[in-house]
Amino acid sequence: MVPASARYNTMNELRIHTQVHSRYQVFDASGQLPFSIVFGLCRRSPADTDPGPLLLEVAGSALDVPYALAHGLLTLHEQDPKDAKQSIEVSVSRLNKIVTTKEAECLSLPSPVNRTEHWRDAFTVYQCPIDVNGEMASILEPGKKYIVRLAGNDLGVKRWAYGDRKDLISDDGRPSHDAGAVSLVNSKPTAGKATFKVLKNLPWPPRVETRMRLPASPPSSDSALLEISVLNTDSNSVTVQTRGHQCFLIPWGPFQPELDASDDRMRIIHATPHKPPTSSLQIIDSATGEVVRRNEPRGICRLTDSTADHRPMVEDLVTLRPGEPVVRKFDIGALVDGLGDGQYKIQMRSKGCRWWHGEVGKQECEDGRVPVHLGRGTIPPLMLESQDEVELRIRDGKVSLCV
């Protein structure tokens, strides 16, 4: 196997498009919400003509965040609370005494040769978890907002090579060749930033149980009804938003929120007389395991008037009282229409909801909307999710329950 440095003996740098972001906009010091710094890496350099994957060692590089901060590969700044454009660099000198490198870990970057997808869809994503009891967390203070950036172009990768993983990884899990004279560097003047606020803890929603079933229909019926029930297992009531712009913490990738994380469509328990709220449902062909129906979310770009009122409407709120299931039944005829004869499974994908402790009724609302002060705050979502699978049979366009 020829070392990477031998292949690039006419140059001393290989450029990698690098992007940095935070997984969430808050760091929960209690540890209930896992937090990480997210890196996206993509091979785009015209000089990178090797058809094989590029393997790099994470430990001791800019991707090893506590180590990178301690050794000047990343910087940590505290944002001015009065002027978001101003910040001061935080001293990380004490990290030099306590920080250690990560265990051996390798990351693989696909070749740009013969790439058919857009480069923006070709990023390899790496998340570096930040332990609330670890080195980096020890220098963060609740109530303050921080920014993590690359300190320069150098990604600090000590070992990397081209080739298949089985050929390149040694017994200790590391690439079998040092980087030598060729350094991996960021290809852009900027690489984004990971911005987050430190909070002592976050409010958490109660756990709810969501069940799904297909009730038996009379032989004369042409409709197929799906029944959804949601039960609040807590001892206190909770109000949830079932439609419209949802405001809660969502996970991010290197550039934008993760697919499906930001979705304003109706939730499965929305009370609607005219349109079934099926956006979270998908249908699987039981014979092949293939997803044959799925409502993909629309784009996350929202071009709206800056003065638009995004407060939830009262009619889009549902109160879940302890021990009292909320039951919805709706026709899934449109969802299964056009499917061939066979057996299928209906599954429910997880969807988050904005929520409030207690009951939010008309008396608390203004102009038919939730008051401004109730719309504030940073919270994780209440998740509507179910492990139930509804098995059904389609024959001659008729839907029946598999027994």
Side-chain angles (χ1 to χ4, degrees):
M1 180 64 63
V2 180
S5 56
R7 301 189 194 187
Y8 283 84
N9 53 15
T10 60
M11 57 185 291
N12 58 10
E13 291 181 344
L14 180 60
R15 298 184 178 277
I16 306 292
H17 190 138
T18 309
Q19 188 74 16
V20 185
H21 210 283
S22 56
R23 178 69 170 165
Y24 291 99
Q25 66 182 27
V26 301
F27 177 87
D28 176 16
S30 73
Q32 282 190 277
L33 182 70
F35 181 85
S36 59
I37 302 297
V38 181
F39 295 87
L41 298 100
C42 180
R43 294 164 60 185
R44 295 186 60 202
S45 172
D48 189 354
T49 58
D50 194 292
L54 184 156
L55 274 71
L56 61 88
E57 184 179 19
V58 171
S61 74
L63 282 63
D64 183 357
V65 175
Y67 177 93
L69 287 171
H71 292 81
L73 295 171
L74 295 175
T75 63
L76 179 68
H77 285 75
E78 179 187 329
Q79 190 176 90
D80 188 331
K82 296 181 180 180
D83 186 354
K85 295 182 180 180
Q86 302 297 320
S87 63
I88 58 172
E89 188 165 359
V90 177
S91 173
V92 294
S93 58
R94 60 175 167 154
L95 288 183
N96 290 309
K97 300 178 182 179
I98 59 176
V99 75
T100 57
T101 59
K102 293 172 62 69
E103 294 182 1
E105 187 176 1
C106 202
L107 193 65
S108 177
L109 309 185
S111 173
V113 177
N114 298 322
R115 178 184 291 156
T116 57
E117 60 188 339
H118 191 277
W119 64 264
R120 200 177 178 93
D121 299 319
F123 273 78
T124 297
V125 178
Y126 177 77
Q127 295 184 35
C128 180
I130 306 301
D131 185 355
V132 294
N133 297 312
E135 302 97 337
M136 178 177 169
S138 68
I139 60 176
L140 302 178
E141 297 182 35
K144 293 186 176 181
K145 197 169 188 177
Y146 295 92
I147 304 168
V148 174
R149 292 190 183 93
L150 283 176
N153 287 340
D154 186 13
L155 297 180
V157 176
K158 296 178 175 59
R159 292 162 67 93
W160 67 274
Y162 288 113
D164 294 330
R165 182 176 292 269
K166 59 182 175 62
D167 296 328
L168 293 175
I169 302 301
S170 56
D171 292 338
D172 63 358
R174 304 168 66 190
S176 57
H177 301 292
D178 290 333
V182 182
S183 299
L184 298 185
V185 299
N186 177 37
S187 64
K188 307 293 287 184
T190 60
K193 58 185 178 181
T195 303
F196 57 92
K197 185 175 183 178
V198 180
L199 299 178
K200 287 185 178 180
N201 50 58
L202 291 169
W204 285 87
R207 190 175 69 89
V208 298
E209 293 181 355
T210 305
R211 305 304 304 268
M212 183 169 58
R213 74 186 189 98
L214 194 69
S217 300
S220 59
S221 175
D222 291 331
S223 63
L225 295 180
L226 184 69
E227 180 182 288
I228 303 292
S229 66
V230 179
L231 177 66
N232 178 6
T233 63
D234 196 51
S235 58
N236 298 300
S237 296
V238 62
T239 299
V240 298
Q241 179 185 347
T242 63
R243 183 175 64 172
H245 177 59
Q246 299 274 353
C247 184
F248 50 71
L249 290 170
I250 56 176
W252 278 68
F255 294 98
Q256 61 189 13
E258 288 191 351
L259 183 67
D260 250 10
S262 181
D263 188 348
D264 295 349
R265 293 176 297 176
M266 291 184 290
R267 299 308 190 246
I268 198 74
I269 58 170
H270 182 71
T272 173
H274 59 281
K275 184 179 180 181
T278 59
S279 63
S280 61
L281 300 180
Q282 63 183 17
I283 298 182
I284 312 293
D285 187 318
S286 298
T288 64
E290 178 187 1
V291 177
V292 294
R293 288 289 164 82
R294 177 173 178 169
N295 290 313
E296 296 294 347
R298 296 181 292 272
I300 62 172
C301 180
R302 301 185 185 93
L303 299 178
T304 59
D305 189 333
S306 59
T307 62
D309 192 345
H310 292 294
R311 293 177 299 149
M313 299 289 293
V314 178
E315 62 192 41
D316 296 332
L317 305 181
V318 172
T319 298
L320 302 176
R321 299 179 179 86
E324 299 180 16
V326 171
V327 179
R328 299 282 187 257
K329 293 182 181 180
F330 49 85
D331 192 343
I332 57 170
L335 187 64
V336 301
D337 184 44
L339 292 178
D341 289 357
Q343 293 189 13
Y344 300 89
K345 296 178 181 179
I346 299 179
Q347 296 177 344
M348 179 180 169
R349 292 176 291 153
S350 299
K351 292 289 183 182
C353 296
R354 180 73 164 91
W355 60 276
W356 298 265
H357 285 301
E359 298 189 27
V360 178
K362 294 182 179 180
Q363 60 274 20
E364 288 89 13
C365 297
E366 306 164 350
D367 302 324
R369 294 182 180 271
V370 172
V372 173
H373 73 275
L374 289 181
R376 295 171 180 161
T378 304
I379 60 169
L382 181 147
M383 299 303 297
L384 295 176
E385 50 195 354
S386 177
Q387 299 302 314
D388 292 348
E389 290 186 340
V390 173
E391 298 188 3
L392 53 87
R393 178 183 290 108
I394 297 179
R395 180 177 297 171
D396 298 328
K398 299 287 186 179
V399 178
S400 61
L401 182 66
C402 286
V403 293

